[in-house]
Amino acid sequence: MTQEIRVTNYPQVLTDRPTHYCPGCHHGTAHRLVAEALTDLGLVDNTILVGSIGCSVFIYNYLSLDAIESPHGRAPAVATGIKRARPDKIVFTYQGDGDLASIGMAEIMHCANRGENVTTIFVNNTVYGMTGGQMAPTTLVGQKTTTCPGGRCKERAGMAIRMTEIIASLGGVAYAERVAVNNIKNIKKAQKAVRKAFDYQVQGLGFSFVEVLATCPTNWRMTPQAANTRIETEMIPYFPLGVYKDVKAQEDK
Amino acid sequence: MPSRVEFREDRCKGCLLCIEACPTGIIQQSNRFNQKGYKVVEITPEMMAECKGCAFCAMICPDYVINVFKTASEKGGAA
């Protein structure tokens, strides 16, 4: 007797609905990582999701969690309120780079500095994806976007902001890591990072932050394959992957 | 050991990331269009025999299109 085993096991919290994302967009992969982490830790029934503005806003359609939609960039402030009112709930924000690193810079900095016991998943694709690919704070020098058609100019617009390094330097942060999802090896590391971030929140260690380097093939004017290569050749050298803060690892030393 | 890969073709957006991720290189773009007008990917029945069931394609797929099945041997373990 032979028996067929299903290897792929999509978490139930992922709704059975086609995503609105463009072909090759990494938001779908990032959603799955969050869903897998919540399912593995058994947190699905106890989690509140705080959405942001941008393409990532529609995460509430794709994860069957209790969700609240925050004003542009204010997801960490909304999450702070929810967590303080209901400390028994697991609260996380899912934000893009236009939302978190630009208009929401103050909120994320102070939320991290206060050490609010929430988790932030930060998807960095170096452009404002939803509104048509304008220059974001994380746009790399020389990268062409609709608002810097000649490439980002260092003298006028400055360098790209490295958020994970900034967040890791703040007082209340328990965990800060940058991951990518452009190949299998990086996806496996990202899985562990997202799970650890939620685990730290369960343990009440403080603010946890995971930056996911993602592609935006449409606004980068590239095929999904070329976009994946760009992550490897252009983004990772400027945004190095790795753990920037881990309070537990520091204690162990 | 025989493995089987199923594509939910109505969900495929033709990004072709699975083709790059497949270590045996058996996934290819078909000539069929789905309802949304994307050219879907496929594994031909002859090529399916070479599938190792690693599920890398399912891991990289951003649209949850792919399901991988393995057939366990008679003794129960995944041979």
Side-chain angles (χ1 to χ4, degrees), chain A residues 2-8 10 16-19 21 23-25 28 31-32 182 184 187-188 224-225 228, chain B residues 4 8 11 13 15-17 20 38 55-56 58-64 66-72 74:
Chain A
T2 52
Q3 200 187 359
E4 206 168 47
I5 307 163
R6 191 171 164 148
V7 182
T8 44
Y10 294 111
D16 189 30
R17 179 179 292 178
T19 63
Y21 301 118
C25 174
H31 288 4
R32 199 185 65 226
N182 63 323
I184 302 295
I187 289 177
K188 289 205 164 164
Q225 287 84 356
N228 261 2
Chain B
R4 194 166 58 83
R8 286 202 290 179
R11 294 288 174 88
K13 290 178 185 162
C15 70
L16 312 182
L17 290 180
E20 271 201 352
Y38 294 116
F56 282 6
M59 206 180 282
I60 202 124
C61 178
D63 292 290
Y64 328 128
I66 303 169
N67 275 310
V68 183
F69 300 88
K70 270 186 177 180
T71 311
E74 275 182 24

Side-chain angles (χ1 to χ4, degrees), chain A residues 151-179:
Chain A
R152 182 176 179 148
C153 169
K154 189 179 163 188
E155 286 71 36
R156 265 180 306 185
M159 305 279 284
I161 291 181
R162 295 187 180 104
M163 276 314 292
T164 307
E165 283 87 334
I166 296 172
I167 297 294
S169 68
L170 298 172
V173 179
Y175 186 67
E177 179 168 358
R178 183 183 288 121
V179 296

Side-chain angles (χ1 to χ4, degrees), chain A:
Chain A
M1 252 267 318
T2 52
Q3 200 187 359
E4 206 168 47
I5 307 163
R6 191 171 164 148
V7 182
T8 44
N9 208 356
Y10 294 111
Q12 268 196 337
V13 64
L14 275 179
T15 55
D16 189 30
R17 179 179 292 178
T19 63
H20 76 290
Y21 301 118
C22 305
C25 174
H26 280 168
H27 266 305
T29 315
H31 288 4
R32 199 185 65 226
L33 295 181
V34 171
E36 282 171 351
L38 291 174
T39 308
D40 288 351
L41 295 167
L43 304 173
V44 173
D45 297 335
N46 205 26
T47 301
I48 298 174
L49 150 72
V50 184
S52 66
I53 303 297
C55 286
S56 58
V57 64
F58 291 112
I59 188 172
Y60 57 67
N61 276 335
Y62 309 128
L63 296 185
S64 50
L65 298 169
D66 290 326
I68 186 163
E69 193 45 53
S70 63
H72 199 182
R74 271 62 181 176
V78 174
T80 300
I82 298 171
K83 189 71 182 183
R84 289 191 178 187
R86 293 295 303 271
D88 55 317
K89 294 285 177 193
I90 300 297
V91 183
F92 79 98
T93 71
Y94 185 98
Q95 300 174 267
D97 57 314
D99 181 84
L100 183 141
S102 177
I103 192 167
M105 187 61 125
E107 278 72 20
I108 189 71
M109 296 278 276
H110 288 288
C111 183
N113 197 42
R114 290 192 306 265
E116 300 293 343
N117 193 19
V118 298
T119 301
T120 291
I121 308 295
F122 167 43
V123 177
N124 177 3
N125 59 10
T126 74
V127 285
Y128 283 82
M130 183 178 249
T131 49
Q134 290 86 356
M135 180 171 69
T138 44
T139 300
L140 296 174
V141 170
Q143 183 184 338
K144 288 177 184 168
T145 69
T146 47
T147 45
C148 52
R152 182 176 179 148
C153 169
K154 189 179 163 188
E155 286 71 36
R156 265 180 306 185
M159 305 279 284
I161 291 181
R162 295 187 180 104
M163 276 314 292
T164 307
E165 283 87 334
I166 296 172
I167 297 294
S169 68
L170 298 172
V173 179
Y175 186 67
E177 179 168 358
R178 183 183 288 121
V179 296
V181 287
N182 63 323
N183 58 36
I184 302 295
K185 189 179 147 203
N186 287 341
I187 289 177
K188 289 205 164 164
K189 279 188 191 160
Q191 266 174 340
K192 282 184 194 146
V194 174
R195 191 178 310 173
K196 205 165 183 182
F198 282 107
D199 193 33
Y200 277 31
Q201 186 182 157
V202 173
Q203 294 177 38
L205 296 173
F207 186 79
S208 46
F209 184 89
V210 178
E211 173 173 352
V212 182
L213 297 183
T215 58
C216 185
T218 304
N219 287 311
W220 294 359
R221 315 271 192 279
M222 286 179 180
T223 62
Q225 287 84 356
N228 261 2
T229 314
R230 178 177 182 258
I231 288 209
E232 202 69 51
T233 56
E234 288 178 44
M235 279 176 79
I236 292 180
Y238 187 79
F239 298 112
L241 304 182
V243 182
Y244 287 87
K245 188 163 186 189
D246 188 343
V247 281
K248 267 203 148 175
Q250 282 162 4
E251 272 172 22
D252 292 343
K253 281 178 194 166

Side-chain angles (χ1 to χ4, degrees), chain B residues 4-66:
Chain B
R4 194 166 58 83
V5 183
E6 256 181 28
F7 296 95
R8 286 202 290 179
E9 292 193 350
D10 55 322
R11 294 288 174 88
C12 182
K13 290 178 185 162
C15 70
L16 312 182
L17 290 180
C18 50
I19 293 182
E20 271 201 352
C22 180
T24 43
I26 55 175
I27 307 176
Q28 61 184 39
Q29 195 170 22
S30 70
N31 286 321
R32 290 193 305 281
F33 292 94
N34 65 8
Q35 212 172 16
K36 286 188 200 140
Y38 294 116
K39 266 193 176 177
V40 298
V41 290
E42 63 171 7
I43 301 178
T44 57
E46 307 87 68
M47 298 293 258
M48 194 68 90
E50 286 176 45
C51 178
K52 307 250 187 316
C54 66
F56 282 6
C57 49
M59 206 180 282
I60 202 124
C61 178
D63 292 290
Y64 328 128
V65 169
I66 303 169

